[in-house]
Amino acid sequence: MNTRWGPLQNPAWSRTIGPGALPCGSRLNKPRFFQRPPCSNRRGAVGARIRIYCHVVCIIAVMAPKVNGASVAGEDWPQWRGSRGDGVSSESGWRSKFEAGRPPIRWRQKVGIGYAAVSVNGGKLYTAGWSDGKDVISCLNTDTGERIWTHEYRAPRFEKNHKGGPAATPAVDDGRVYTLSREALLICLDAQNGEVKWQKKLNELYRVDPPRWGFAGSPVVHGDMLLVDVGRIIAFDKETGREFWKTRNYGPAYSTPQPFRTGDRELLAVFPKAGLVILEASTGREVAAHQWLTSYGVNAATPIVDGNRIFISSGYGTGCAMLELTDKGLRVVWENKEMRNQMPTCVLMDGHLYGFDDKVLKCLDVKKGERVWAQRGLGQGALTAAGGKLIIMSEDGELQIVDTSPGGVKIEARVKVFNESHCWVMPVLAYGHIYCRSPGGELVCLNVRP
């Protein structure tokens, strides 16, 4: 739980920020109870520490989301697929069932055409869309949907076989927001007011051309680094934008890098056109590679790491594979066509992989790759997971909350959120809210607090 005081506690500041919106030189004073008490003996020091502890507990209790006396054990969702990059939330206490015909919609907001999911951090939500010839980065209040600030720049729509607009999800870290456009414009913004900290035109600096559908992988914060895959995988200093390292060009990229640790090694799993590549995180040195070629050169799903094993999947009839990282390189553990992720990525939960094999929701045994069950009727949807449940957005705009088991699917709640097709954006659960995004630009918040 983030206990920092911020401008959203003041309703007067919850508006679009423009010149002069924030008081010049304004700052928030440190509360007295965080200051060192003037104690002259041990008993006084112990008493002071107890008082400080009580104050902190009270702050956390007050700031936890509550409805009818119940609280939600929530967590930020600061970048693509969450803080761990696995698409699984550890949030508990949220409501997975609600009355039929009474969808718990809290607010709706227009954010522009696109396929960027949302990131949530410190009471604010960040996403990207396209409108009137411009990409628009939006920061909203998570509870009300009120727009706090926007940042715009001229950009093509990239409407090829879909509605177009940005596809990369913003990453939020330490007061900064990072976005990547379809043309590889990388921008670092101030998370509070949307001011540009730094930006780079990666297509010009690194001589990488946008692929057929434009760059779609999201920026990822890992320690002091900001990682992007634009064919070349590049690591930047997240504060200054200075380059740490870059790789050779592995071909057009739609996937997002996945940091992971095995033993004492910090590594990256990346999935560009050439296939799965394992890099040393600190230097970008190639550790291992496995060729994986698809139609149109599309590897869009994020690699899923399970210990020293990495799962990859692609659409267009290609299939999936589980590979093991050994001292000699990558070894195929199993490979089949049971899971063909054309766009949305699977989630790994309790020894099972859940995801869309083209337009069929499936569960696979992670050890053998064998099908456990299959469910039709959702189209080519997207999903996340929390508390043993799948949170699914169907291709035609229906949200379903599903209890999973090796025996099959049990739908606990369902609600029609959008009257659109091509709803391929991953829903996000954060602090008792589920955020859903339509390709046409509507963002909906559903209240699932108890």
Side-chain angles (χ1 to χ4, degrees):
M1 175 67 69
N2 188 336
T3 59
R4 292 180 299 176
W5 297 102
L8 290 184
Q9 275 70 42
N10 185 341
W13 289 0
S14 298
R15 62 179 186 271
T16 302
I17 290 180
L22 293 179
C24 181
S26 64
R27 63 191 180 97
L28 298 170
N29 294 324
K30 183 184 292 185
R32 288 175 56 195
F33 44 78
F34 282 118
Q35 299 173 7
R36 184 181 298 276
C39 301
S40 57
N41 56 64
R42 183 175 180 181
R43 180 178 297 176
V46 172
R49 285 195 292 271
I50 292 173
R51 287 194 295 274
I52 293 171
Y53 173 79
C54 291
H55 278 301
V56 173
V57 170
C58 288
I59 288 174
I60 294 173
V62 168
M63 295 184 70
K66 287 189 176 183
V67 177
N68 298 326
S71 63
V72 176
E75 65 175 0
D76 283 341
W77 190 273
Q79 57 189 1
W80 169 247
R81 288 174 58 82
S83 57
R84 295 173 298 277
D86 58 6
V88 180
S89 170
S90 60
E91 190 153 321
S92 62
W94 58 285
R95 181 163 48 106
S96 62
K97 299 179 181 180
F98 40 82
E99 188 176 344
R102 298 185 63 184
I105 294 176
R106 182 155 188 162
W107 53 258
R108 292 177 181 266
Q109 182 64 273
K110 292 289 187 180
V111 293
I113 293 168
Y115 294 87
V118 305
S119 296
V120 177
N121 180 265
K124 297 183 181 70
L125 175 152
Y126 304 87
T127 192
W130 184 94
S131 179
D132 297 327
K134 298 177 181 178
D135 279 355
V136 182
I137 314 303
S138 296
C139 172
L140 310 179
N141 182 308
T142 55
D143 284 333
T144 67
E146 186 174 1
R147 187 169 281 106
I148 299 171
W149 57 256
T150 62
H151 176 75
E152 303 176 351
Y153 54 89
R154 301 295 302 180
R157 184 171 166 178
F158 272 92
E159 67 271 40
K160 296 181 179 180
N161 306 116
H162 57 62
K163 291 191 175 181
T169 300
V172 192
D173 179 79
D174 197 21
R176 294 176 175 83
V177 182
Y178 305 93
T179 67
L180 183 69
S181 77
R182 294 272 192 179
E183 290 188 304
L185 175 61
L186 179 65
I187 308 178
C188 172
L189 302 167
D190 188 299
Q192 295 296 322
N193 56 34
E195 292 181 355
V196 176
K197 295 286 189 181
W198 54 263
Q199 64 182 24
K200 293 177 179 291
K201 294 182 179 180
L202 303 185
N203 57 330
E204 296 178 3
L205 290 173
Y206 295 96
R207 297 181 180 179
V208 289
D209 295 323
R212 182 172 183 171
W213 288 281
F215 293 109
S218 301
V220 172
V221 175
H222 180 59
D224 294 332
M225 295 187 296
L226 178 69
L227 303 165
V228 293
D229 184 351
V230 287
R232 293 181 186 273
I233 296 82
I234 312 167
F236 298 98
D237 184 310
K238 67 181 182 181
E239 292 188 5
T240 66
R242 179 176 62 89
E243 179 194 304
F244 283 141
W245 52 258
K246 65 178 181 292
T247 68
R248 65 181 176 88
N249 194 336
Y250 289 101
Y254 300 96
S255 181
T256 298
Q258 177 60 51
F260 70 103
R261 173 186 285 272
T262 177
D264 59 352
R265 294 191 296 174
E266 291 280 349
L267 302 172
L268 305 174
V270 296
F271 198 33
K273 176 182 178 181
L276 178 64
V277 182
I278 307 300
L279 303 174
E280 189 175 70
S282 60
T283 65
R285 180 182 66 87
E286 185 177 302
V287 174
H290 179 80
Q291 188 179 64
W292 188 264
L293 301 178
T294 66
S295 298
Y296 307 106
V298 176
N299 290 323
T302 303
I304 295 176
V305 179
D306 183 23
N308 66 337
R309 294 186 173 189
I310 303 99
F311 172 78
I312 56 174
S313 179
S314 303
Y316 301 102
T318 305
C320 61
M322 181 68 75
L323 300 128
E324 182 179 18
L325 181 62
T326 71
D327 292 338
K328 297 180 180 180
L330 288 164
R331 179 183 70 87
V332 177
V333 178
W334 54 261
E335 181 178 342
N336 60 44
K337 294 184 182 295
E338 286 289 351
M339 188 69 74
R340 294 162 294 175
N341 295 156
Q342 184 171 328
M343 289 170 294
T345 304
C346 292
V347 294
L348 173 61
M349 187 169 57
D350 299 327
H352 293 86
L353 286 160
Y354 300 91
F356 283 90
D357 174 35
D358 194 19
K359 296 189 176 185
V360 181
L361 177 66
K362 283 186 179 180
C363 170
L364 303 186
D365 181 280
V366 73
K367 292 183 178 179
K368 299 180 180 179
E370 297 174 349
R371 182 197 305 186
V372 179
W373 53 255
Q375 181 75 29
R376 297 181 179 274
L378 293 165
Q380 198 170 68
L383 76 169
T384 52
K389 322 276 186 191
L390 296 180
I391 304 171
I392 302 169
M393 175 56 64
S394 75
E395 187 172 23
D396 65 357
E398 183 179 66
L399 179 74
Q400 294 190 9
I401 300 175
V402 173
D403 185 19
T404 61
S405 70
V409 173
K410 179 182 178 182
I411 299 174
E412 295 195 349
R414 63 195 307 171
V415 57
K416 183 71 170 176
V417 182
F418 305 117
N419 292 314
E420 290 187 50
S421 60
H422 296 169
C423 294
W424 301 326
V425 181
M426 172 183 64
V428 167
L429 170 68
Y431 295 104
H433 290 154
I434 296 176
Y435 301 98
C436 305
R437 164 75 178 273
S438 80
E442 189 172 30
L443 182 63
V444 175
C445 171
L446 290 92
N447 182 9
V448 291
R449 294 173 180 173

